[in-house]
Amino acid sequence: QVQLVESGGGLVQAGGSLRLSCAASGRTFSRYVMGWFRQAPGKEREFVAAISWSGGVTYYADSVKGRFTISRDNAKNTVYLQMNSLKPEDTAVYYCAAANSIVVTGAREQYDYWGQGTQVTVSS
């Protein structure tokens, strides 16, 4: 069982930056692929970024590639999402998720545990 708690969301102007954090409970955090997803009002939840157990492999949605960076600190049971050059279309609730998998995946159905989400709002 893994419990996930996101933090770091807020209101930022276009072009600005935010760093989201996701703190995980459980001693097996390092065995989970971790991902970030987002959901804007009226839209489906979509994949943003994912990272392997060791942090050596990362995978991004095309819409955030080059602007967002996912990382993890297994000693702190925490995964991060650094978001730069934010755009109004990045506005959404951002969710952290954990997948009991060896494959770094963007498939929502592969993720077993989810956080409650943190709101990110980017003003134009």
Side-chain angles (χ1 to χ4, degrees):
Q1 187 78 10
V2 176
Q3 293 184 330
L4 305 171
V5 179
E6 302 96 335
S7 61
L11 174 63
V12 64
Q13 289 188 330
S17 298
L18 281 175
R19 188 175 83 154
L20 305 183
S21 299
C22 173
S25 65
R27 291 175 292 179
T28 59
F29 171 77
S30 61
R31 294 169 56 184
Y32 285 86
V33 166
M34 299 299 297
W36 287 96
F37 291 75
R38 66 187 182 187
Q39 188 167 17
K43 295 187 177 180
E44 291 193 354
R45 193 170 299 188
E46 65 175 5
F47 169 72
V48 175
I51 190 166
S52 63
W53 298 351
S54 66
V57 177
T58 56
Y59 175 45
Y60 296 94
D62 288 343
S63 59
V64 306
K65 202 172 294 182
R67 300 188 298 122
F68 291 11
T69 302
I70 189 171
S71 61
R72 67 190 295 164
D73 185 339
N74 287 340
K76 295 183 178 180
N77 279 13
T78 301
V79 62
Y80 304 97
L81 185 68
Q82 177 67 44
M83 306 186 294
N84 298 329
S85 302
L86 282 161
K87 305 174 181 180
E89 51 263 44
D90 294 317
T91 295
V93 177
Y94 283 70
Y95 297 90
C96 172
N100 189 4
S101 169
I102 61 172
V103 177
V104 180
T105 177
R108 191 174 59 189
E109 65 272 15
Q110 296 297 316
Y111 285 81
D112 304 289
Y113 303 102
W114 294 83
Q116 83 290 347
T118 185
Q119 176 71 47
V120 171
T121 303
V122 184
S123 63
S124 57

